[in-house]
């Protein structure tokens, strides 16, 4: 089995800013060393508003009142009625597009509450090297994710993984309860029919490059339990397909809408 490669931004649980007690609103709360490390991942600054969670997983908006080496504190000022993080885990395996637009997808997927984004190299996709050569901005992907997470007040940064090969992506997605491949071929199922009455807690979405997934890739994925699904009769750009599919999954199974 091919092992999934590492997360490059320490997103996920490590980025949660946890309080180790239930706070009183408008009262200063000290932050633990672990929370301090999480703040480092967000590149947070004193005075900034962040989303923190307490030991019962309730989310609060809090202002960072001090942030120094070795110590930090915040004042939680608003308890949020619903958790900021989605109740379902959504992972998007995104073929690298060769044009502009990747940053925008990263931003939108982050806003939509996706947990993990994995760029993949499929047979027709651009390579990381080509993208880096063509696009100066590719070095700022992590910054795009961080900024989007801050802007939409997420409690955790989505994990951003290294570029995976198609086969590595399939093994990485293997543990998800529902695995869907967006494919505009002769697919019998629409994305929403793909859910059926099933209410999975974790969903992997595979999105193809501008040239689409090749038949052998679709067959390989199907053999690994991935269901090819359609988003309707129009051919969408890779970026559009990724954003639309994540929004539909979040709307049907998660907390969007
Ligand atoms: N295969 C096409 C071709 O011949 O040029 C177009 C690929 S499309 C531009 C890029 C990717 O977005 C596809 O591989 C698929 O993952 C997704 N996609 C776009 N439109 C879709 C649709 N209507 N249904 C399902 N997936 C779609």
């Amino acid at each position: 089995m091919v092992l999934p490669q590492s997360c490059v931004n320490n997103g996920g649980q490590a980025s949660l800013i946890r309080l180790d007690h239930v706070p009183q609103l408008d009262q200063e709360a000290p932050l633990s060393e672990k929370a301090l490390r999480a703040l480092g991942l967000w590149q947070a600054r004193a005075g900034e508003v962040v989303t923190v969670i307490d030991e019962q997983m309730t989310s609060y908006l809090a202002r960072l009142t001090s942030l120094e080496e070795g110590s930090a504190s915040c004042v939680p000022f608003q308890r949020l009625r619903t958790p900021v993080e989605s109740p379902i885990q959504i992972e998007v395996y995104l073929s690298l597009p060769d044009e502009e637009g990747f940053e925008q997808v990263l931003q939108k997927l982050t806003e939509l509450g996706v947990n993990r984004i994995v760029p993949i190299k499929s047979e027709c996709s651009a390579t990381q090297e080509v993208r880096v050569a063509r696009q100066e901005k590719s070095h700022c992907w992590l910054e795009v994710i961080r900024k989007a997470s801050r802007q939409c007040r997420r409690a955790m940064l989505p994990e951003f993984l290294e570029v995976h090969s198609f086969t590595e992506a399939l093994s990485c997605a293997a543990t998800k309860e529902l695995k869907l491949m967006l494919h505009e071929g002769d697919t019998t199922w629409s994305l929403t029919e793909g859910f059926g009455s099933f209410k999975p807690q974790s969903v992997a979405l595979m999105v193809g490059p501008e040239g689409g997934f090749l038949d052998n890739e679709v067959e390989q994925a199907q053999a690994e339990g991935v269901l090819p699904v359609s988003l309707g009769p129009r051919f969408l750009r890779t970026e559009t397909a990724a954003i639309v599919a994540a929004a539909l999954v979040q709307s049907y199974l998660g907390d969007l809408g």
Side-chain angles (χ1 to χ4, degrees), residues 36-216:
L36 210 61
R37 279 197 295 277
L39 287 170
L41 300 175
W42 289 81
Q43 296 187 357
R45 297 202 181 94
E48 200 176 303
V49 173
V50 290
T51 303
V52 299
I53 53 157
D54 70 14
E55 53 183 11
Q56 291 166 2
M57 295 303 285
T58 302
S59 309
Y60 302 80
L61 293 183
R63 189 165 296 281
L64 286 174
T65 40
S66 73
L67 179 56
E68 287 155 26
E69 197 153 337
S71 79
S73 56
C74 68
V75 175
F77 60 89
Q78 187 182 341
R79 186 178 289 112
L80 302 175
R81 275 186 301 127
T82 42
V84 181
E85 292 303 320
S86 172
I88 62 154
Q89 199 187 346
I90 306 174
E91 299 189 351
V92 180
Y93 294 81
L94 190 62
S95 302
L96 279 171
D98 48 4
E99 303 281 333
E100 292 285 336
F102 196 65
E103 291 74 28
Q104 206 187 18
V105 195
L106 296 181
Q107 184 192 61
K108 303 305 174 210
L109 293 179
T110 301
E111 289 173 38
L112 287 165
V114 161
N115 298 74
R116 181 181 268 184
I117 303 169
V118 188
I120 61 170
K121 166 79 193 80
S122 58
E123 293 202 32
C124 298
S125 68
T127 63
Q128 171 77 331
E129 294 69 32
V130 168
R131 284 191 51 83
V132 170
R134 278 199 210 152
Q135 248 202 78
E136 290 167 11
K137 283 201 219 147
S138 50
H139 66 279
C140 66
W141 291 343
L142 302 187
E143 179 61 13
V144 170
I145 291 175
R146 198 162 38 231
K147 275 191 178 160
S149 304
R150 281 154 92 147
Q151 181 274 323
C152 70
R153 303 263 193 253
R154 281 193 66 165
M156 67 163 72
L157 300 166
E159 290 181 316
F160 186 75
L161 269 56
E162 286 176 358
V163 179
H164 278 45
S165 70
F166 185 75
T167 305
E168 287 167 338
L170 287 175
S171 8
C172 194
T175 53
K176 302 292 123 12
E177 287 179 68
L178 181 64
K179 299 174 279 289
L180 302 172
M181 170 182 251
L182 304 184
H183 185 53
E184 72 292 340
D186 283 338
T187 314
T188 7
W189 305 96
S190 71
L191 179 87
T192 46
E193 283 170 336
F195 304 143
S197 55
F198 184 35
K199 296 277 180 200
Q201 293 300 298
S202 59
V203 180
L205 285 171
M206 303 189 75
V207 191
E210 284 310 307
F213 285 121
L214 298 184
D215 288 347
N216 64 304

